[in-house]
Amino acid sequence: MKKGFKKVLGAALAAVAIFIGGTQSAQAATTLTVGASSSPHAKILEHVKPELKKQGINLKIKVFSDYILPNKALANKEIDANYFQHEPFLKNWNEKNNGTLINAGAIHLEPIGVYSKKYKSLKSLPKNATVYVSSNTADYGRVLQIFKDAGLITLKKGTDLTNATFDDIKTNKKNITFKHTFEAKLMPKLYEANEADAVVINANYAVQAGINPTKTAIALEKKTSAYANIIAIRKDEKNNKAIKALVKVLRSKSTQKWIEKEFDGAVIPVASTK
């Protein structure tokens, strides 16, 4: 009878130990929700999921189809971080929305490019050409830099490209009209419609539309651009260990090599921009 009681007690204690151990493991796992554009951001995040899981981090990805909602969701604590924007865009958003979101680390560059079905280079654009640009003001400096590098425009003295507008153009050699009233996600469709002489498209939207920037663009942003895409977070999360682990994995050599191979130069890891 005594022996039987010891066996029952032992089995009960073992069950309790298993239950407690399971509970502790569940508590040890951290869930990190990151908002991202579908491509390449969400795709890159999917790639690092297994590595983060090894570190006890359950990465959840919430895909956004625009540039407006991800920062709102982050500020409202609906997500823990987002991955879709460069720092000038974040700075602009903070200024307009009295925000305090910060940069937790640069990951990759998506070279913005100029596309045309009518002309093979910027220099071959005709006089009075029309170029469609998105309404995303944070990208205007990038666009101006491309046309400046091609020798088609000059800028007013002291122009800061991080907040420049088309009003900062000093000379416009071909009298190009930059029409900038379109949503960024619509640019690939406008390119296919072939209405303008050229269209400026962000690389993520080009990739989503099946357009390879390095093979199709008639002009592409230089690899040394300061507009690398970042992981953005709330200021109070700057010491979050899971977010630090995410940035570290995204910037690891193995992830960088995968990005280079997967996107064939359309997406450039930060290490390649230095």
Side-chain angles (χ1 to χ4, degrees):
M1 192 73 179
K2 217 170 189 182
K3 230 176 194 180
F5 176 73
K6 282 182 179 179
K7 280 184 180 179
V8 171
L9 181 62
L13 290 171
V16 170
I18 290 169
F19 174 76
I20 292 172
T23 302
Q24 287 175 336
S25 296
Q27 288 175 343
T30 300
T31 296
L32 188 67
T33 304
V34 180
S37 297
S38 64
S39 181
H41 307 80
K43 197 170 184 178
I44 295 171
L45 290 173
E46 285 289 351
H47 175 74
V48 301
K49 256 187 177 182
E51 180 56 38
L52 288 171
K53 193 170 185 180
K54 290 177 188 176
Q55 299 181 38
I57 300 168
N58 177 29
L59 179 63
K60 288 189 175 181
I61 304 163
K62 185 173 182 180
V63 176
F64 291 88
S65 61
D66 62 25
Y67 290 166
I68 300 167
L69 296 177
N71 279 337
K72 284 185 178 180
L74 180 58
N76 292 335
K77 298 186 178 182
E78 295 168 22
I79 55 178
D80 302 306
N82 68 39
Y83 178 32
F84 78 100
Q85 65 192 318
H86 48 64
E87 193 157 26
F89 183 96
L90 178 64
K91 182 183 176 183
N92 185 272
W93 188 88
N94 277 333
E95 288 172 356
K96 287 185 176 180
N97 297 277
N98 197 28
T100 56
L101 303 182
I102 61 173
N103 174 5
I107 310 302
H108 74 265
L109 172 70
E110 295 174 24
I112 200 166
V114 184
Y115 299 78
S116 176
K117 289 183 176 291
K118 300 173 182 176
Y119 305 99
K120 293 184 178 180
S121 70
L122 286 185
K123 289 185 178 179
S124 64
L125 289 176
K127 283 191 175 182
N128 303 313
T130 298
V131 176
Y132 285 177
V133 182
S134 83
S135 57
N136 181 20
T137 56
D139 282 334
Y140 291 172
R142 304 169 78 184
V143 178
L144 291 169
Q145 185 69 62
I146 292 173
F147 281 83
K148 180 176 177 287
D149 289 343
L152 298 184
I153 64 169
T154 62
L155 301 174
K156 295 173 184 176
K157 191 176 179 180
T159 297
D160 178 1
L161 286 171
T162 61
N163 56 24
T165 71
F166 295 101
D167 290 333
D168 290 307
I169 295 174
K170 182 180 179 181
T171 59
N172 188 340
K173 294 181 181 179
K174 293 197 174 187
N175 195 33
I176 296 169
T177 297
F178 294 94
K179 191 174 181 182
H180 45 90
T181 56
F182 313 97
E183 280 190 68
K185 65 182 178 182
L186 298 178
M187 303 315 286
K189 289 183 179 178
L190 293 171
Y191 166 64
E192 293 299 336
N194 199 22
E195 294 176 359
D197 294 297
V199 177
V200 179
I201 309 175
N202 289 83
N204 64 313
Y205 287 125
V207 171
Q208 287 174 37
I211 303 167
N212 187 311
T214 57
K215 294 177 181 177
T216 312
I218 63 170
L220 206 58
E221 183 176 20
K222 290 181 178 178
K223 293 180 180 180
T224 51
S225 169
Y227 289 79
N229 278 215
I230 63 173
I231 294 293
I233 61 172
R234 292 183 298 278
K235 194 180 281 187
D236 60 346
E237 295 284 359
K238 64 182 178 180
N239 295 317
N240 186 308
K241 290 181 180 178
I243 290 172
K244 286 184 176 181
L246 170 66
V247 173
K248 188 175 180 180
V249 169
L250 286 170
R251 296 184 66 167
S252 67
K253 286 184 179 179
S254 61
T255 302
Q256 289 176 8
K257 286 180 181 177
W258 179 85
I259 289 173
E260 288 175 340
K261 185 178 178 182
E262 182 70 19
F263 298 101
D264 193 25
V267 179
I268 306 167
V270 284
S272 298
T273 66
K274 295 177 182 178

